[in-house]
Amino acid sequence: MRLLERMRKDWFMVGIVLAIAGAKLEPSIGVNGGPLKPEITVSYIAVATIFFNSGLSLKTEELTSALVHLKLHLFIQIFTLAFFPATIWLFLQLLSITPINEWLLKGLQTVGCMPPPVSSAVILTKAVGGNEAAAIFNSAFGSFLGIIITPLLLLLFLGSSSSVPFTSIFSQLFMTVVVPLIIGQIVRRYIKDWLERKKPPFGAISSSVLLMIIYTTFCDTFSNPNIDLDKFSLVLILFIIFSIQLSFMLLTFIFSTRNNSGFTPADTVAIIFCSTHKSLTLGIPMLKIVFAGHEHLSLISVPLLIYHPAQILLGSVLVPTIKSWMVSRQKGVKLTRPTV
């Protein structure tokens, strides 16, 4: 069993490398409007597949228990949509005196204002074996909150405003997140015995879909016409993005593992990924709306285009380490429980 798990991890890491290499060699295939039509296959079909898969594999009682875990949900949403953007704003006050391109810095602020993604945090939480139900709930709920809160945060921190088509974005989220999840749960009720007997490879399915998302994301990054910036600024932004992710992952880990936190190790896994991941699927369309006609829109978009694949790569690399920690903590809890 361990050998199979190890092989699956190795296959996924090889898949990530191949996806990035393929995007670098021929990005035109996976860009919006390209042969793969990611504006449909990724934004709708891939995301819907992930949540149908999650609905099919999740036990209803687990999802129900996640809904009532208010403390966990409040922690994730407040960290994501309040603490994260406010901290980035304070950090940017220091970076503003550096020679880094000012529009890239504004792009970092837009990253902080984004809601959690509807796919990567769920898949990584599932890969570790964390609280998948909580990850699904917070990814979906955070995305809905982001429809309203993200434009307000952009207005607050950057002073940009525009009419945001809440109805169309809400409809897309409803159709790609809520509906597939409900359908998956309904189907599960009728084939529950078969699922428990056959144990379909839900993890492999989700990982395959994630590879497609990685590929199309890097296609957008590599095909972005905005290369009119100095390499110094780009390299520093790349370093800053990885530093922000690692720092916030460590911060959420420390907060959620305190003795009086009330969170289980599985909860901590969901917190680490859901609190620090940002949505590219929601983010780029929203930036194009809020900054419509802005001459520096492409520069502003660069940090988010970097952040999204970076969070998936960093999360994937840390999966074995976080999983080992979670398993050891769970064993420790079981050993300290008194026997009756």
Side-chain angles (χ1 to χ4, degrees):
M1 192 69 179
R2 289 183 178 178
L3 178 60
L4 290 175
E5 181 69 16
R6 178 68 180 177
M7 288 175 64
R8 190 174 70 82
K9 289 177 182 176
D10 291 342
W11 166 81
F12 184 59
M13 294 305 296
V14 170
I16 291 176
V17 174
L18 291 176
I20 296 172
K24 176 64 175 176
L25 289 173
E26 193 54 62
S28 61
I29 295 176
V31 297
N32 284 347
L36 283 183
K37 301 292 183 184
E39 64 273 18
I40 298 174
T41 57
V42 171
S43 297
Y44 292 93
I45 299 175
V47 174
T49 299
I50 287 171
F51 279 91
F52 173 76
N53 187 49
S54 295
L56 200 60
S57 61
L58 262 182
K59 296 179 180 179
T60 306
E61 59 270 19
E62 291 179 353
L63 190 59
T64 304
S65 64
L67 299 178
V68 298
H69 203 336
L70 294 179
K71 184 178 180 180
L72 175 63
H73 306 326
L74 282 174
F75 181 97
I76 291 174
Q77 299 305 326
I78 291 174
F79 190 97
T80 305
L81 296 172
F83 181 85
F84 200 124
T87 303
I88 293 296
W89 182 82
L90 290 173
F91 183 49
L92 291 183
Q93 304 312 301
L94 297 175
L95 291 180
S96 63
I97 62 176
T98 68
I100 299 176
N101 186 291
E102 66 170 308
W103 297 105
L104 287 178
L105 293 180
K106 289 181 182 293
L108 276 178
Q109 184 64 70
T110 66
V111 170
C113 297
M114 293 300 154
V118 293
S119 56
S120 61
V122 174
I123 293 174
L124 290 170
T125 300
K126 184 181 180 68
V128 173
N131 192 337
E132 184 190 357
I136 289 176
F137 178 85
N138 281 282
S139 293
F141 184 62
S143 296
F144 283 115
L145 282 180
I147 295 173
I148 299 173
I149 295 179
T150 293
L152 295 178
L153 289 174
L154 291 173
L155 172 63
L156 174 65
F157 290 110
L158 297 174
S160 298
S161 63
S162 179
S163 58
V164 179
F166 298 108
T167 304
S168 62
I169 298 177
F170 182 87
S171 298
Q172 180 179 344
L173 284 170
F174 183 78
M175 294 303 297
T176 58
V177 176
V178 179
V179 171
L181 185 64
I182 293 174
I183 293 176
Q185 284 284 286
I186 293 174
V187 172
R188 179 182 172 81
R189 292 182 60 185
Y190 291 97
I191 61 172
K192 182 179 178 181
D193 293 337
W194 181 85
L195 290 173
E196 293 180 351
R197 187 171 63 254
K198 296 294 184 179
K199 300 187 183 302
F202 293 116
I205 294 172
S206 294
S207 296
S208 299
V209 176
L210 182 56
L211 285 176
M212 180 181 178
I213 295 174
I214 293 173
Y215 171 71
T216 56
T217 299
F218 271 98
C219 282
D220 275 335
T221 302
F222 290 136
S223 65
N224 194 303
N226 175 41
I227 309 297
D228 185 24
L229 53 94
D230 59 288
K231 292 182 179 179
F232 173 77
S233 292
L234 192 58
V235 170
L236 276 183
I237 288 295
L238 185 62
F239 174 77
I240 289 169
I241 284 174
F242 273 101
S243 299
I244 288 173
Q245 288 186 23
L246 280 171
S247 299
F248 280 176
M249 290 178 80
L250 180 61
L251 200 58
T252 55
F253 176 81
I254 293 172
F255 284 162
S256 61
T257 54
R258 293 176 302 168
N259 291 332
N260 60 345
S261 68
F263 298 128
T264 66
D267 292 339
T268 295
V269 173
I271 288 171
I272 288 173
F273 290 124
C274 292
S275 299
T276 59
H277 280 213
K278 295 295 184 176
S279 176
L280 181 73
T281 307
L282 266 180
I284 291 299
M286 200 165 286
L287 287 181
K288 289 181 179 178
I289 293 166
V290 176
F291 294 97
H294 200 292
E295 62 177 326
H296 296 292
L297 173 59
S298 58
L299 277 173
I300 294 172
S301 303
V302 166
L304 185 57
L305 287 173
I306 295 174
Y307 193 96
H308 181 75
Q311 71 190 4
I312 296 173
L313 286 173
L314 185 60
S316 300
V317 169
L318 292 176
V319 160
T321 302
I322 297 174
K323 187 170 186 175
S324 297
W325 169 83
M326 187 190 75
V327 171
S328 64
R329 280 294 298 269
Q330 289 175 334
K331 287 181 179 178
V333 171
K334 289 180 181 179
L335 290 174
T336 56
R337 286 178 180 172
T339 56
V340 180

